[in-house]
Amino acid sequence: MSREGEVVKDRAAQRSLVERFARERPSALLLDSEAPALLDVFSGKTLTVDWARIAGVAESRNRDTGAPYLALLRDDGRQVILADVGIAFEPLASATGPLPGLPSVACFRDFAATAARIEHHLVDHPADPVTRDHLDLFLFLLAIVDGARAVGFDVSREERRLERILGEIEARRSDDD
């Protein structure tokens, strides 16, 4: 057991922390130690764990909720966060430019909720215009997908969903011209 905030560098201790954390959250995370890979239960997505690229593992608590999480600190400076919501990661705004209010971490639940919100507007309110807020939500989705891809997730399903949403936004905007 490590102290909160302490970065564990010993490979065996890192594995032990990840195994324990996942075991305690079977509705959010599953660990295949043999692969090794983590399954984000909500999304059904698997993330390969390359222990050689893990520079450290740190236990901490969310400052807003107090919920525990593990940060897998990679040698490329990226982090993968294991939490009660599953696997979280930094959304990347490199393709979108700066996004006001972009959170430091996001997960596939954030993607699903935001995509559903935009799709609801586009499908259930066809007479309403697409606003800057909708475009900002789309850019947030793009940042989540880019962040997920950067840590090693297959995001082809999310990319197809983004293409459908963008197609509808573009069609809606051209109708307004």
Side-chain angles (χ1 to χ4, degrees), residues 42 103 106-122 133-144 161-162 165 169:
F42 174 81
C107 64
F108 288 107
R109 291 172 192 260
D110 297 320
F111 180 89
T114 304
R117 186 171 160 195
I118 293 173
E119 290 163 341
H120 168 77
H121 172 78
L122 295 171
D133 288 340
H134 297 107
L135 297 176
D136 288 344
L137 290 173
F138 178 82
L139 294 176
F140 174 59
L141 292 175
L142 184 57
I144 291 174
R161 193 168 180 186
L162 283 177
I165 292 170
I169 288 172

Side-chain angles (χ1 to χ4, degrees), residues 46-61:
T46 302
L47 181 65
T48 300
V49 178
D50 181 354
W51 289 109
R53 300 215 43 214
I54 303 297
V57 174
E59 288 185 281
S60 196
R61 292 196 170 270

Side-chain angles (χ1 to χ4, degrees), residues 40-117:
D40 179 85
V41 172
F42 174 81
S43 68
K45 292 188 171 292
T46 302
L47 181 65
T48 300
V49 178
D50 181 354
W51 289 109
R53 300 215 43 214
I54 303 297
V57 174
E59 288 185 281
S60 196
R61 292 196 170 270
N62 180 299
R63 67 175 170 253
D64 296 327
T65 66
Y69 68 87
L70 276 186
L72 280 61
L73 312 170
R74 296 181 4 165
D75 63 359
D76 63 359
R78 299 201 189 286
Q79 295 183 46
V80 174
I81 306 298
L82 308 183
D84 292 339
V85 296
I87 302 172
F89 41 85
E90 176 187 10
L92 297 179
S94 50
T96 64
L99 296 175
L102 186 66
S104 58
V105 295
C107 64
F108 288 107
R109 291 172 192 260
D110 297 320
F111 180 89
T114 304
R117 186 171 160 195

